[in-house]
Amino acid sequence: MREVLDELMEWYDAGQEVGVGTVVATFQSAPRPPGASMLVGPDGTAVGSVSGGCVEGAVYELAQEVTASGEPVLQRYGVSDDDAFAVGLTCGGILDVYVEKVSRATFPELTDVAADVAAGRPVAVATVIEHPDPALLGRRMFLRPGGPGEELSVQGSFSSERADDAVRDDALGLLAQGRSEVLGYGPDGERRGEGMRVFVWALAPKPRMLVFGAIDFAAAVARVGSFLGYHVTVCDARPVFATATRFPEADEVVVDWPHRYLTAEVEAGRIDGRTVITVLTHDPKFDVPLLEVALTLPEVAYVGAMGSRRTHDDRLERLREKGLTEESIARLSSPIGLDLGARTPEETAVSIAAEVIAARWGGTGRRLAATDGRIHADAAR
């Protein structure tokens, strides 16, 4: 949804109706993740994608029908035995798409949600996509955890207090992980029941990529990180190198000692399980104190450090001397990146990004041509 939100708001603010198809669940090798959306505007314009092209035509037609009728539809798409190109996924995957009409009348809270997304405030939107009672289809709950010291804000209600409590707790957990997912319950919110399915849009702020070391490789890593959807911060203690001019693709450039900056970000609650940390300084006076902090954090997605084999061995010895356990040290990806034969800063940035992606989704880094079985593994997180 985040990818098409600007276009959706243009039609929405103009008082127009839009057909919205959203991937809510995927199985096997489905090409787009839950939360991916496709819009069909009032002028017939299509924006976004739910499958990379396989079932867009079918979703387009269904979105037009739903906009006309006003009745939401949950539709499953998979391999078509008769004609895989008609409404099937040629990749062999299966996906569930929830199609609804969005307008000021059907979704009056969307303006506030869009404002939250624009301001980087976390918000979860839980929508009933399947229920024995048709009157509950499309009903929503909005959850905003707020900042430190602020109370949880919950807006909207489902079929019962039990259902509200169950969805609230589960949706907050998904929001903390930045995961959009379908939750299943009994019709009255029973955790072991069936019949009620709720899709949670976890509209968390962008995950962070912290790039330590204002070198030429850092500029390339910042560009790739921005391309992948991270909020990129470049940090270096040397003000002559850490400038916005040298790193135009970064969201922010910070002049500070790396370990001090990371410690402050942790204390401020701005580091989470999606955070990627890349250490490109390969200078022990910078990277050892920084890695002391990074490798003892309870939860980050990735910690990688640049350097030669000799630098790597020296770094490990210094970390052991600082008292880090072998378990903590094992979390370090060093030398950083996958073996792509990279030479230039840009190629090295691709190598680093490839390792980050593999760590996120459980990839092996091997050539797909040399592997068998499914291309996309089940997401681990």
Side-chain angles (χ1 to χ4, degrees):
M1 173 59 77
R2 187 190 299 273
E3 299 171 353
V4 297
L5 187 57
D6 290 343
E7 290 87 350
L8 175 59
M9 292 308 299
E10 288 183 11
W11 283 315
Y12 181 92
D13 290 338
Q16 297 177 306
E17 298 175 344
V18 183
V20 180
T22 300
V23 178
V24 295
T26 65
F27 311 90
Q28 300 179 24
S29 295
R32 298 300 310 278
S37 296
M38 173 180 169
L39 313 180
V40 178
D43 59 354
T45 300
V47 178
S49 172
V50 293
S51 72
C54 297
V55 301
E56 260 66 15
V59 174
Y60 181 91
E61 294 179 3
L62 181 57
Q64 290 184 311
E65 295 173 6
V66 167
T67 301
S69 69
E71 299 296 327
V73 174
L74 178 63
Q75 181 67 51
R76 173 161 293 184
Y77 297 97
V79 174
S80 171
D81 294 331
D82 298 327
D83 184 355
F85 287 97
V87 293
L89 291 165
T90 57
C91 61
I94 300 171
L95 55 83
D96 289 345
V97 179
Y98 180 70
V99 184
E100 62 182 323
K101 178 176 72 174
V102 171
S103 67
R104 289 179 178 176
T106 66
F107 199 160
E109 305 90 351
L110 183 58
T111 297
D112 292 336
V113 172
D116 288 327
V117 173
R121 295 187 295 265
V123 56
V125 181
T127 305
V128 177
I129 61 172
E130 188 174 62
H131 199 281
D133 182 357
L136 291 176
L137 290 179
R139 187 167 294 189
R140 295 184 174 92
M141 175 184 286
F142 305 86
L143 301 102
R144 297 173 173 88
E150 296 180 355
E151 293 186 2
L152 169 69
S153 171
V154 180
Q155 179 184 2
S157 179
F158 295 134
S159 56
S160 68
E161 184 176 350
R162 175 197 287 181
D164 290 351
D165 290 344
V167 173
R168 180 196 63 222
D169 293 344
D170 294 341
L172 286 174
L174 291 175
L175 183 59
Q177 301 173 59
R179 290 172 49 197
S180 297
E181 191 173 293
V182 168
L183 305 172
Y185 308 94
D188 199 37
E190 303 92 334
R191 287 192 175 277
R192 295 185 179 274
E194 297 181 352
M196 176 179 175
R197 297 175 72 197
V198 178
F199 177 65
V200 177
W201 264 320
L203 295 168
K206 288 183 178 181
R208 298 191 66 188
M209 175 179 284
L210 306 183
V211 183
F212 293 101
I215 62 176
D216 51 354
F217 287 90
V221 171
R223 286 196 296 273
V224 172
S226 179
F227 173 74
L228 292 177
Y230 287 91
H231 179 96
V232 179
T233 301
V234 175
C235 176
D236 196 295
R238 302 166 296 179
V240 68
F241 295 114
T243 65
T245 302
R246 296 188 69 229
F247 301 98
E249 303 293 335
D251 294 283
E252 55 184 347
V253 179
V254 175
V255 178
D256 200 349
W257 278 82
H259 71 283
R260 185 167 61 191
Y261 172 74
L262 180 57
T263 299
E265 292 299 286
V266 172
E267 293 174 349
R270 291 191 285 267
I271 304 299
D272 60 25
R274 302 176 300 152
T275 302
V276 168
I277 298 173
T278 63
V279 182
L280 310 182
T281 52
H282 51 82
D283 182 335
K285 70 175 177 290
F286 290 116
D287 60 16
V288 171
L290 170 61
L291 290 171
E292 280 188 79
V293 178
L295 294 176
T296 55
L297 293 177
E299 189 177 52
V300 291
Y302 174 88
V303 181
M306 178 178 283
S308 66
R309 298 289 183 186
R310 178 178 297 179
T311 299
H312 168 71
D313 292 339
D314 176 71
R315 180 188 293 131
L316 294 188
E317 284 304 312
R318 291 174 184 269
L319 290 172
R320 292 186 180 103
E321 291 172 1
K322 293 292 185 179
L324 266 70
T325 65
E326 294 301 319
E327 182 180 4
S328 295
I329 291 173
R331 299 173 61 194
L332 176 62
S333 295
S334 173
I336 197 169
L338 297 184
D339 180 12
L340 305 182
R343 295 291 187 272
T344 67
E346 289 74 19
E347 290 173 346
T348 301
V350 171
S351 166
I352 295 170
E355 186 174 38
V356 169
I357 294 169
R360 178 183 182 187
W361 298 111
T364 65
R366 298 174 59 199
R367 295 180 64 200
L368 289 174
T371 63
D372 297 317
R374 292 166 49 188
I375 292 175
H376 299 102
D378 291 328
R381 52 190 149 187

